[in-house]
Amino acid sequence: MDKLVEIVAKSLMLPAEKITEELKYNSIPEWDSVAHMALVTELEDAYGIMLETDDIVGMSSVAKIREILSKYDAAA
Amino acid sequence: MMLRPDALEGRIALVTGAGRGIGLATAKMLAEAGATVWLNARTVGSLEQTCAEIGNGARAVYFDVTDPAAVREGFVTIQKECKKLDILVNNAGILRDAVIEMASVELMDDIWRTNLRGVLLCAQYGARLMARAGGGSIVNVASYIGRFGNTGQAVYGASKAGVIGATLSLAKELAARQIRVNAVAPGVIDTDMIADLPADKREKLLGSIGMGRPGTAEDVAKLITFLASDMAGYVTGQVVGVDGGLVI
Ligand SMILES: NC(=O)c1ccc[n+]([C@@H]2O[C@H](COP(=O)([O-])OP(=O)(O)OC[C@H]3O[C@@H](n4cnc5c(N)ncnc54)[C@H](OP(=O)(O)O)[C@@H]3O)[C@@H](O)[C@H]2O)c1
């Protein structure tokens, strides 16, 4: 399975099938600010990075997260 | 020494502005209680000797709290080396008096960037590291002036009142992650910060302290260490004065 999809699914406590590239922050109850910070922690652990505040704010969709991660040389 | 020497064993702490004054006294006391302390200062290399003296794995991390990228780098270092943070003491601060008519925009920005935005930035990254460790304690160094005011200190007082406001909201926001956030409000403490006061002002200030003496950096460090420890395990969102009965 795609590593990013796996991490998002785990953090939002959703089945992987529900995680699409278009899925947006705050568009479903499972992806609220609390889940968002859990997701940040999971991403940081998985990729060994520390996300910048602007990027945490900018992680508005799964596709956007993928784009942001590429900046950190973290292949998503 | 008020806590058992093992009270903070295994805890990782960061103290900003730890080269002198209240920050240095706090770093020493946290280490005495068993914590591994990261001491912060602006000048690279300035804390190596101090860290060696403090021992217990004390290390220096150099950044200016007004520089967001540098603050982030500092926390990345701690994350890399220690994988967590349990205690954050936001102590770095500057004092510059100015009657309101003479408070320049530069002075306002300098004070607010250091005393308030610096605290918010460190809390932002600190909370992220603490959440990983399952919780922690943030202690912000505010001031008597931020609660009760003083002539010539509208700008400084505003920054410290801001620190108190941040403390109250952070305590609510971070409670669910088991991160406690409190502030201390020192009165007149004998450090470099008040060393430059003109003699007449100093006399007047000392005369307004109920206990008749200025506080020591250790007086403040004791309270900070208490709030950082499990002794204060159910205390959050509080502003605690340490002023010997000061009334300005
Ligand atoms: N002394 C008092 O009567 C009193 C009363 C109430 C509250 N306070 C508060 O207590 C705290 C400590 O004060 P103190 O009395 O110990 O003063 P201090 O002796 O002047 O020490 C201030 C410390 O803050 C550091 N600092 C200043 N700007 C910084 C920046 N941009 N980035 C990183 N570090 C910075 C300084 O580092 P450098 O060595 O690099 O300059 C120094 O280590 C301050 O927040 C102050 O407002 C003091």
Side-chain angles (χ1 to χ4, degrees):
Chain A
M1 196 198 304
D2 180 86
K3 185 174 173 185
L4 177 59
V5 170
E6 198 177 331
I7 294 167
V8 176
K10 183 179 168 208
S11 308
L12 308 188
M13 290 188 269
L14 285 171
E17 308 81 75
K18 298 244 161 129
I19 312 301
T20 62
E21 291 296 303
E22 296 74 41
L23 185 63
K24 282 194 170 47
Y25 170 59
N26 259 339
S27 67
I28 51 170
E30 289 84 353
W31 195 353
D32 60 4
S33 65
V34 175
H36 199 66
M37 287 317 296
L39 175 57
V40 167
T41 305
E42 289 290 338
L43 290 170
E44 289 181 339
D45 285 347
Y47 294 101
I49 56 174
M50 187 161 190
L51 289 160
E52 282 175 35
T53 306
D54 286 348
D55 289 332
I56 296 178
V57 178
M59 286 172 24
S60 53
S61 68
V62 175
K64 197 78 196 164
I65 296 174
R66 206 178 285 284
E67 184 188 318
I68 285 168
L69 286 175
S70 65
K71 222 176 61 174
Y72 291 82
D73 285 330
Chain B
M1 186 69 228
M2 57 176 246
L3 288 173
R4 289 164 53 106
D6 60 354
L8 299 178
E9 212 173 280
R11 308 288 167 89
I12 308 293
L14 166 64
V15 181
T16 64
R20 53 199 165 95
I22 294 168
L24 177 59
T26 301
K28 283 183 179 161
M29 212 168 279
L30 291 172
E32 275 172 31
T36 297
V37 185
W38 287 87
L39 286 84
N40 155 262
R42 287 179 281 194
T43 315
V44 177
S46 63
L47 290 177
E48 302 308 318
Q49 170 93 28
T50 309
C51 288
E53 281 164 22
I54 289 179
N56 205 35
R59 309 224 355 224
V61 57
Y62 300 103
F63 59 83
D64 183 324
V65 299
T66 65
D67 179 346
V71 170
R72 177 172 178 276
E73 274 312 305
F75 281 88
V76 167
T77 302
I78 296 171
Q79 185 200 16
K80 277 202 186 122
E81 300 282 325
C82 297
K83 303 274 177 287
K84 67 160 187 171
L85 184 67
D86 303 291
I87 296 163
L88 166 64
V89 181
N90 276 314
N91 166 78
I94 52 172
L95 171 68
R96 267 186 246 153
D97 288 2
V99 292
I100 192 63
E101 296 88 340
M102 294 176 71
S104 67
V105 169
E106 287 74 23
L107 177 130
M108 292 182 196
D109 284 348
D110 278 356
I111 291 188
W112 123 263
R113 280 205 190 98
T114 309
N115 293 5
L116 183 51
R117 199 181 70 177
V119 168
L120 289 167
L121 285 172
C122 290
Q124 182 174 64
Y125 287 108
R128 283 170 62 187
L129 292 195
M130 285 179 186
R132 288 160 177 274
S137 172
I138 299 176
V139 183
N140 297 323
V141 181
S143 169
Y144 176 94
I145 309 303
R147 304 169 89 187
F148 305 110
N150 193 22
T151 302
Q153 300 199 313
V155 181
Y156 177 78
S159 76
K160 292 299 187 179
V163 168
I164 291 171
T167 302
L168 300 178
S169 286
L170 285 170
K172 291 191 169 160
E173 187 172 318
L174 299 175
R177 281 182 256 167
Q178 309 307 313
I179 299 170
R180 299 183 294 104
V181 189
N182 294 288
V184 300
V188 182
I189 311 299
D190 216 348
T191 68
D192 291 350
M193 193 167 267
I194 64 158
D196 296 339
L197 277 183
D200 56 328
K201 254 190 167 174
R202 195 183 161 86
E203 274 313 302
K204 196 169 158 229
L205 204 53
L206 295 186
S208 52
I209 305 169
M211 290 179 75
R213 66 162 178 95
T216 62
E218 287 71 27
D219 285 327
V220 184
K222 283 182 201 164
L223 175 60
I224 295 174
T225 304
F226 166 73
L227 289 170
S229 78
D230 293 345
M231 295 277 281
Y234 202 52
V235 181
T236 193
Q238 302 304 306
V239 183
V240 187
V242 47
D243 59 24
L246 176 68
V247 181
I248 292 182

